Structure formats: C-alpha cells, structure tokens
Amino acid sequence: MKKFICLLFFIVTAFIEGRTQSARMQTLFDSGWKFFRGDAGMGEKESLNDADWRDVELPHDWSIEDLPDQSDSVIGPFTTKSIGATATGYTVGGTAWYRKHFTLNNNSNKKVQIYFDGVYMNSDVWINEHYLGNHPYGYTPFYYDITPYLKQSGENILAVRVRNEGRNSRWYSGSGIYRHVWLTVTNPIHIQQWGVFVTTPKVTSNAATINVSTNPTGFQNLPGLSHLKLRTQILDAKNKIVGTTETNIPISQLPNIPITQSIELTNPSLWSPESPYLYHAVSEIIQDTKTIDHAVTSFGVRSIDITAEKGFLLNGHSIELRGGCVHHDNGPLGSATIDRAEERRVELLKQFGFNAVRTSHNPPSQQFLDACDRIGMIVIDEAFDQWERAKNPEDYHLYFDTCWKKDIDAMVLRDRNHPSVIFWSIGNEINERADSSGLVIAKKLIDQVRISDTTRPITEAICDFWDHPGYKWDTTAAAFALLDVGGYNYLWRQYEQDHQKYPERIMMGTESFPLEAFQNWQQVEQHPYVIGDFVWTAMDYMGETGIGHTGLDSTPGFQLQTFPWFDAWCGDIDLIGGKKPQSYYRAVVWNRSKMEMLVHAPIPQGHKEAVSAWGWYDELPSFTFPGNEGKPLQVHVYTKYDGVRLFLNGRLIGEQNVSPQTNLTATFMINYEPGVLKAIGLQDGKAVDSVVLQTAGKPARIRLVADRTHIRASRNDLVYITGEILDEKGQLVPDATLPLLFSMSGNAEITATANANPSDMESFSAEAGQKKAQHKTFRGKCLIVVRPVGKPGKITVKAEAEGLTPGQVVIDTQ
C-alpha cells in the first residue's frame, strides 16, 4: 500500500505539472535546522551566532532525548526532578530555539508562506528578525505569510522559539517542532490555505453528487484582470478522470467568495473501514491558457446517517464502533511525527480489531489522518482537554479565551476533507461542562465548527460529577441537548435509564474501562442508540504513569505509580506494538476470535490481586513459570462457545459452561507443572475448537521480525524490527530478560530502541544515528527502529546475545 500511495502522489503531481506554468510549489522544510536547548538570556534578538548549535532534522522532539548527568535519578530522558512528574512520565520540557538558513530564487511577484503542522508549545516565530507571531496551542497547525520580509537574494533566517514550560499537560506531550513544516510558494492569485472543501451530499451505490467549494484569493493585486476560470477534475484511484467541470470567475465577485461546483459520479466506489477507497479532486485556477495555481485534495465518497432508532449508518449500512482512545506519542520516538510511525499506529489498531479511534484529547497530525483515510479507520477528531478552567496551572486554559476560535478553525479547516473524520469533539471531561458558563462556551464552539463544516455530527466527552460533589447526573441534560451525539465516559450504566428520559439522544462510550469491555459492548449490540465504545486506551502511552497497573492487596484505583514508572500501561497494545491480555479478551467480545486462553502469574501465598480501574489481570497467553512448580495458578478461557474443557498434560482438570452471565469467561484453578495446557471449546456438548499453551524451554536463539522487508529510501519511512528470544523448538521464551546487541550495515541508522516494560527506564535514543545499539528484552521481546538515510540498497540488521544463536533480517530500500 505504501508504494502505491507514493506512486499515486507522483502521478497526480505529474498530471498537474504537465500543463502548469509557474504554479504552486510546496517544499517539505524539515532538513537543515539548527537547535539550541535553553534560553541563555537570548531574549528575542535573532542576530546571534548559531554556529555552535546542534544540527537537527524535523520532526523533532527534544523531550525524548537523553538528559545529561545520567545517574540513579536521571535515566535516559527521565528525571525525578521533572516538573510534570507522573503526568508527563518524568520527562522534561523547557525552552529551546530552532533556526533555519535558506535562500529563495526567482521569488519576485510570488506569495511565500511557512506552515507548521504542530509545535509543542507556545511558539514564537521570526523571519529575518521580523516577528511573525505567537501560537500557544501545541496541537493545531498554523502558518504565516513571510512574503514582505524575505530577501530577494542572499540568506534568509527563520527562527522559532518553543516554550514548554510549567505543568501544562496531563500526559506526555513532547517538546519542539514535532510535526512537519512546509514552505509554499504561489502566484499572487492562488487558492487559500485549506481553501478547498469537498462534500458528498447525495450518495447511493449508483450515483453520487460531489460538491467542491474553492476559495481563491489575491485578485486585488492584479488590477485590470477581468476574469479567470476554475477547473475541477475528479481522479479515481487509477488516476483516471471520472468527472470534470469548469466555471468562469468574474473578478467583480471576488475575493473571499467560495466558488462551489458540482460533479456527478456514476457507480462510485464508497469509502468505509472495510473498503477505504479514495478519490482526488484537482482544482486549478486558469488565466488564459495557463494554470496559475492548483490544489490536490484527497477525499472519500460516503454518507452518514445517525439516529437513536437506527444507530450509525455509513453508506446506508449499520456499523458499530469498535473504538479506542489514543494519545499522540509514538512510544520510543516520542511525539515526533515521522510518517511511517503514524501509519504503523493505524495499522496496529486495525490489526487488533479497532475500526474507530478517538484522538484524545487534541487534533492529531495530518499524517495520522492520512493513514486513517487509506487504511480505513473512523475518527473522532477532538479539540480540547480544557476550556476556561484549568486542569494544570499552565495548561491551555490560559489561552482559551483568545485562541479557541482560531484553533477550532485550524482543526476543522485542515481536517474536513478526510473521509475518516466522522465526528468533531469539542472537549473532554470539561470542568464547566454543565454550568451556565460552560453551556455558553459549548454553544460558541459548536457554532464555530458549523461555520466551516455542517456535514458531521458534533460530540463531547462528558463524565460523572466527581469534580462537583452534590451535582445530580441530570444536570448534564442541557449539555447533551447541544450535541448531535452524547459522549459518555465510564457511564455505560446510565445508557438505558437515560434513553427512557431522552429517547432521541444518541450515545457512545467515549471512554471505558478495559475490565468492562463485555458490559459496554453488550450495550452497543443491544441498543441502536448506543453506537460504539472507545476503551481507555487502545495503545500504551507515556505519562499518567501506571494508571493501568496491577498490585497486591490494596485497591489501586487512580493511584499513579512513581519513578521509575513512565508508561500508563492501560492499552490493548503495548509501547512497542505487542498484544496485551485485554486485547485477547476483546477479540472474543467483538466476535473476532472464538476462544483465547490466558494464565495468571503466581500470586504470593496470603495475598490477593488488586487491579487498577484501567488495568487488567496479570495474565498472559503463556504456560512458562519456572520455580513455581506445585503452586496454584488461575486459568481464564474466554470464549463464545457454550462450554470449555481444560486438560493439563492430558489429564482432565474440569469442564465449565460459558455464557453472557459468566462474561464469556471460564475460570479454572490448577497446580502448576510444566508441559501442555489445552482448552477445548464445546458447542452443544461437542468439541469444536482448541487452544494449546506449552511450556517454553531455555533461551536458544534470537529471531528478528521486521514489520516490512521492503521500504522507501526516505527519511519519512521506518522499519520496526522486533527481537525475540526463542527456545530450541522456536517458542517464545516469555520470561527472558536479556540484553540484545544490535548491529547493522547499509544506508540506514538506528533511530530508537525499546521494550514494553512500563517501569524499567532505559534510554530510547542513546545510539540514535549510529550503527550499533543495545537494549534488554521484556517478556522475551524488544524493539529496534531503523531509518533510511536516503539511498537505495540493502539494510542488514543483526542481533546477538551471549550463548544464543544470533538473528538477522535483511531490508530492501528503494
């Protein structure tokens, strides 16, 4: 798929350039930056010498980089002195500067714009010592017109100051210019940034109406011009023109009036998670016979209909949202938005059964949404985690009153052409959600969204009044009444009684506990007015340390774990992309697997397990517990069959009935002995299926498994290679904790290494940019992330450990 997408991009570009003269030029502006971490009394002057600054490449996150003076209290990027502490996973922010020196040729009579997809946070930007402005929010895109301040010849200096200061986040945010930067050069007459909006107001399997609204601008700069032409063509996935229209534009009607054109498609290919078909709209402004500007907009043809009676209909078909919440970090890469990292996250979500994702609690990167479009993932695109009232002293509440409108506009205008984006969310667990002030704010936010897009439902994630003792649940009625779909956080017990009171209300679980997966999904299956469930969380993330931990005796609740914990440990997918135990259960609940078996780790005698509200039992699909012979173990068999028999080394342990009343779970107790554990699924008393777990032997060899063996020779591509410790029979050794030494050859470098352990801090990037690295395994696995350096060829990665047969994998780059 990746190769196909790249080919399509070049085909569409060539399609435009073949008949374009002096049209738009968009350049990725990621390379050649200078970086200085700290302020050092620099103030706001840009004439200082940056010769000693470090060279960096964007996207860049300095919070994931190792700190100086490593010790017991400073490990990799983590320190006990972190201001964010448990919230940010013991990482640090601060102030830093970026600079880029560049020249532009032949830019006279051109418009030049610098575009940032995301900077965390509070960025100030200068060009040639001219101050362009400040952008506080760390998650929305922004841009500046730098035309008046550019030098027609000689060197230009772009400078960015980033201030990630104080306690401003409840999770790992990262720091810096962590998303892509683009330089765009156009003619004075051009299509505005985010100035094309494609909608599909009428969709059937036989025909679809495509409306394309285009905002051209810049006419005031060319007196005497009488008219132009706007041509829009629709290209299918094979680059075939399937629709075209042209409109003459009288200059007297301009500027700032969108031009809307309609094109009829016959037998359209519809977008859905199962079939994510994409078209491209090519919009051109034509003066005489020349194309003086163009824009290429990817979109999907699909219809949305959501009611309490029928549920969520996509293209007329009922769909239940198997959802998960995600934060924006890419694990060992921090928040750096490398394209392949964003794509891999979506692939993993799809692989483990999700068809929907909630971007908690902020707009994601453009590349994440691009991947959702291509792969087929429904998105709740969320704006804010707070409004006027704070959750942290230095968070976005300081800027909300002056910035909310431009940030809503940035989110909606940038993202409204993505077919994957089905919902806009205006907030998460807002303190003032049900107060009179909050209702006024919610109405303003909703109205602002609808200025730019009326085609999507609007939601908000509303929670119980833990922060307002004494408030009754029905106090939320006025807040829900403003929304198209009501978002419920951890409140599946409210669905049925709320439906009795408010039968027109459409509901979805915008956050839910892993241990309540069955109860939440029953509500979705039984009631059309409950359209989906989004677990907290789909993937492990850094920060909110240990909210998903499992302990002994006491009830953990919301208790965060302290240093050296850095990971939330509440995801279905771990930090390096592995499947965690709750995902096996969810596969059964979602009818994606008929039967799964997991074995609980031994619990010390005299103690009992205590699972966090966001946690899961300490169990694995493993039967390897050396040193625990004869000790009691609990076995869970999760199944949709109506019965289970369990055998240990050929001996029948027992038989149990399974039903919704048992939460699709059979529970057995055994005394551990190495060997073979076998569960047989029964339907109407007959054996129809089985799952086998076998005790692993001693570590014998290393296996390297690459997520792909053919990649692009591009800095925006990556290969993720998992190192696994196997026994002589080729089984994973799940208790192996061994240091692996990685080495590589070819045109690539090591970007990061990691394992999934949430409480064992190590450097992710000590060997970044090098050819060798070391990292220890957790539960028999660890990860190395390799990045091409831009030249085709073969990359060979090897892994060694004392006493083990080495592993090797070869990657082709093109």
Side-chain angles (χ1 to χ4, degrees):
M1 175 176 284
K2 188 76 174 180
K3 183 177 179 181
F4 171 76
I5 294 300
C6 296
L7 179 60
L8 179 61
F9 173 80
F10 288 118
I11 289 174
V12 172
T13 302
F15 173 85
I16 292 297
E17 291 179 347
R19 61 192 193 201
T20 297
Q21 300 178 39
S22 303
R24 142 180 333 234
M25 181 177 68
Q26 193 169 41
T27 304
L28 191 61
F29 226 46
D30 287 349
S31 61
W33 288 80
K34 294 282 190 177
F35 175 72
F36 178 83
R37 187 168 178 174
D39 212 0
M42 291 175 62
E44 297 182 356
K45 280 293 180 184
E46 288 310 299
S47 57
L48 298 174
N49 182 12
D50 58 18
D52 294 332
W53 292 19
R54 180 157 61 94
D55 294 329
V56 297
E57 180 181 11
L58 307 182
H60 176 246
D61 172 14
W62 81 70
S63 288
I64 204 67
E65 297 176 346
D66 286 358
L67 295 167
D69 304 321
Q70 297 281 301
S71 66
D72 290 343
S73 60
V74 181
I75 304 172
F78 311 106
T79 174
T80 55
K81 295 181 180 179
S82 164
I83 295 174
T86 57
T88 60
Y90 291 98
T91 59
V92 298
T95 298
W97 287 79
Y98 294 84
R99 278 200 198 155
K100 182 175 175 69
H101 299 249
F102 65 99
T103 58
L104 282 180
N105 298 317
N106 301 320
N107 66 317
S108 59
N109 198 33
K110 298 287 186 180
K111 295 285 288 187
V112 184
Q113 176 181 288
I114 191 73
Y115 176 96
F116 297 86
D117 199 43
V119 180
Y120 201 89
M121 59 173 287
N122 216 342
S123 64
D124 295 287
V125 183
W126 291 261
I127 182 70
N128 296 328
E129 299 192 26
H130 177 86
Y131 182 62
L132 295 171
N134 171 262
H135 188 82
Y137 198 29
Y139 298 108
T140 47
F142 58 98
Y143 58 92
Y144 299 106
D145 180 3
I146 61 175
T147 310
Y149 319 109
L150 287 172
K151 298 177 182 178
Q152 294 300 318
S153 61
E155 184 179 73
N156 296 283
I157 301 177
L158 181 66
V160 183
R161 179 176 62 186
V162 183
R163 291 175 289 165
N164 179 6
E165 298 171 335
R167 291 170 52 210
N168 61 61
S169 180
R170 298 190 301 117
W171 55 84
Y172 177 85
S173 64
S175 302
I177 309 177
Y178 71 98
R179 294 181 184 168
H180 289 301
V181 177
W182 297 85
L183 187 79
T184 303
V185 180
T186 66
N187 285 308
I189 299 175
H190 62 279
I191 298 168
Q192 291 182 10
Q193 179 71 47
W194 308 320
V196 178
F197 183 27
V198 184
T199 58
T200 56
K202 296 180 181 179
V203 175
T204 70
S205 59
N206 298 321
T209 300
I210 313 300
N211 284 351
V212 183
S213 177
T214 306
N215 255 359
T217 189
F219 305 93
Q220 62 274 21
N221 297 323
L222 292 176
L225 183 66
S226 61
H227 70 278
L228 293 168
K229 184 185 294 183
L230 177 63
R231 176 168 58 203
T232 298
Q233 296 184 318
I234 306 299
L235 278 62
D236 67 11
K238 295 181 179 179
N239 196 40
K240 178 183 177 183
I241 299 173
V242 292
T244 185
T245 185
E246 293 184 355
T247 303
N248 288 320
I249 310 173
I251 300 305
S252 59
Q253 295 182 10
L254 299 166
N256 298 325
I257 298 176
I259 307 299
T260 299
Q261 301 168 303
S262 290
I263 298 175
E264 298 296 320
L265 291 186
T266 58
N267 301 318
S269 297
L270 305 186
W271 187 95
S272 69
E274 296 75 26
S275 180
Y277 193 95
L278 295 176
Y279 290 90
H280 290 78
V282 180
S283 306
E284 298 173 87
I285 299 177
I286 300 170
Q287 182 180 1
D288 298 325
T289 60
K290 295 192 304 184
T291 296
I292 59 174
D293 194 25
H294 73 277
V296 180
T297 305
S298 175
F299 71 97
V301 178
R302 48 117 175 99
S303 66
I304 302 169
D305 184 22
I306 307 178
T307 64
E309 294 76 22
K310 295 183 179 180
F312 176 25
L313 302 182
L314 183 68
N315 303 325
H317 300 287
S318 177
I319 185 169
E320 297 168 334
L321 299 177
R322 303 189 305 271
C325 301
V326 297
H327 277 312
H328 77 135
D329 72 83
N330 279 307
L333 301 177
S335 60
T337 304
I338 300 171
D339 294 10
R340 173 56 190 164
E342 299 291 88
E343 180 182 63
R344 177 177 178 262
R345 278 200 292 154
V346 181
E347 288 179 351
L348 288 169
L349 291 168
K350 196 74 175 280
Q351 176 186 337
F352 291 123
F354 295 93
N355 66 6
V357 62
R358 173 175 173 236
T359 65
S360 314
H361 305 288
N362 48 262
S365 72
Q366 174 183 319
Q367 287 68 38
F368 184 83
L369 294 180
D370 287 344
C372 290
D373 291 346
R374 295 193 303 268
I375 295 167
M377 184 67 59
I378 288 170
V379 177
I380 301 176
D381 199 342
E382 192 154 84
F384 305 121
D385 190 41
Q386 61 278 128
W387 296 342
E388 290 183 339
R389 299 181 190 171
K391 293 183 179 178
N392 274 300
E394 287 79 35
D395 66 20
Y396 183 72
H397 86 280
L398 296 174
Y399 314 102
F400 180 82
D401 284 344
T402 57
C403 295
W404 70 265
K405 186 176 292 186
K406 73 173 184 179
D407 287 324
I408 283 287
D409 286 349
M411 176 183 78
V412 177
L413 290 171
R414 186 198 65 172
D415 297 348
R416 63 186 178 173
N417 289 310
H418 289 279
S420 60
V421 176
I422 302 292
F423 305 89
W424 303 116
S425 171
I426 58 174
N428 170 69
E429 298 191 353
I430 301 299
N431 182 279
E432 63 265 45
R433 57 196 176 278
D435 293 342
S436 58
S437 63
L439 297 176
V440 170
I441 293 170
K443 180 66 165 56
K444 289 180 179 179
L445 293 171
I446 290 167
D447 289 346
Q448 192 66 31
V449 170
R450 287 177 175 155
I451 288 174
S452 300
D453 180 23
T454 60
T455 69
R456 292 173 172 86
I458 298 172
T459 188
E460 177 189 344
I462 295 176
C463 61
D464 203 359
F465 287 114
W466 55 267
D467 50 351
H468 292 282
Y471 277 38
K472 302 293 186 181
W473 173 248
D474 280 348
T475 308
T476 61
F480 278 117
L482 295 171
L483 305 171
D484 300 307
V485 176
Y488 285 64
N489 280 11
Y490 311 106
L491 289 166
W492 65 268
R493 292 176 179 85
Q494 292 290 148
Y495 292 154
E496 292 178 350
Q497 54 186 301
D498 279 8
H499 180 66
Q500 294 299 315
K501 296 178 182 178
Y502 315 103
E504 299 303 313
R505 184 183 295 176
I506 303 162
M507 311 173 193
M508 63 181 168
T510 35
E511 289 182 27
S512 64
F513 296 121
L515 284 171
E516 294 180 346
F518 176 71
Q519 292 86 346
N520 276 280
W521 198 245
Q522 272 200 315
Q523 295 291 312
V524 176
E525 289 186 320
Q526 293 173 3
H527 304 305
Y529 56 84
V530 182
I531 63 173
D533 173 56
F534 289 75
V535 66
W536 192 269
T537 57
M539 306 184 77
D540 277 348
Y541 58 94
M542 292 191 293
E544 288 193 306
T545 55
I547 68 165
H549 80 283
T550 300
L552 294 175
D553 302 325
S554 63
T555 302
F558 190 68
Q559 179 184 356
L560 295 174
Q561 301 300 287
T562 57
F563 196 92
W565 279 77
F566 64 92
D567 179 292
W569 195 238
C570 57
D572 275 32
I573 305 168
D574 67 32
L575 202 68
I576 65 171
K579 188 170 185 175
K580 290 175 63 185
Q582 54 262 52
S583 184
Y584 290 90
Y585 178 60
R586 197 178 311 281
V588 173
V589 170
W590 283 346
N591 290 309
R592 292 177 53 82
S593 172
K594 288 295 186 180
M595 186 165 62
E596 301 288 348
M597 179 166 58
L598 291 91
V599 182
H600 201 290
I603 298 174
Q605 189 173 3
H607 297 274
K608 63 179 181 179
E609 183 181 45
V611 182
S612 160
W614 289 266
W616 193 263
Y617 315 111
D618 185 15
E619 61 183 7
L620 289 171
S622 166
F623 196 53
T624 304
F625 300 97
N628 289 281
E629 289 74 9
K631 294 182 180 179
L633 294 180
Q634 178 178 271
V635 179
H636 278 155
V637 181
Y638 304 120
T639 185
K640 284 288 184 77
Y641 298 123
D642 58 23
V644 174
R645 290 190 191 121
L646 187 71
F647 292 84
L648 174 57
N649 290 327
R651 305 190 309 273
L652 177 64
I653 298 298
E655 181 176 322
Q656 291 189 21
N657 295 327
V658 183
S659 68
Q661 286 68 42
T662 68
N663 294 344
L664 310 182
T665 305
T667 303
F668 300 89
M669 293 302 299
I670 64 172
N671 291 324
Y672 177 63
E673 60 182 65
V676 177
L677 190 67
K678 183 176 184 179
I680 295 178
L682 307 174
Q683 193 65 37
D684 299 325
K686 297 181 180 179
V688 293
D689 201 355
S690 65
V691 177
V692 175
L693 298 177
Q694 187 167 348
T695 304
K698 294 181 179 181
R701 65 183 181 92
I702 302 168
R703 177 171 62 191
L704 294 184
V705 180
D707 66 334
R708 295 168 306 147
T709 55
H710 298 274
I711 65 173
R712 293 178 299 127
S714 164
R715 297 294 285 167
N716 277 315
D717 211 347
L718 300 166
V719 59
Y720 287 77
I721 302 171
T722 304
E724 300 177 340
I725 307 298
L726 307 182
D727 66 9
E728 290 183 350
K729 296 180 179 179
Q731 292 189 113
L732 181 73
V733 184
D735 60 338
T737 302
L738 298 171
L740 296 189
L741 177 63
F742 295 96
S743 60
M744 60 176 296
S745 61
N747 296 318
E749 63 187 20
I750 296 167
T751 295
T753 58
N755 63 38
N757 193 330
S759 61
D760 185 13
M761 293 174 172
E762 285 190 73
S763 169
F764 296 130
S765 59
E767 295 89 2
Q770 305 299 313
K771 297 286 189 180
K772 291 186 177 182
Q774 182 172 297
H775 212 97
K776 63 175 173 287
T777 59
F778 172 68
R779 293 181 174 170
K781 298 180 181 181
C782 67
L783 180 75
I784 179 171
V785 186
V786 173
R787 191 177 189 184
V789 295
K791 297 179 181 179
K794 292 189 181 297
I795 303 168
T796 301
V797 179
K798 297 180 180 180
E800 300 172 282
E802 185 176 355
L804 303 186
T805 301
Q808 178 175 303
V809 66
V810 178
I811 312 297
D812 287 323
T813 59
Q814 300 174 355

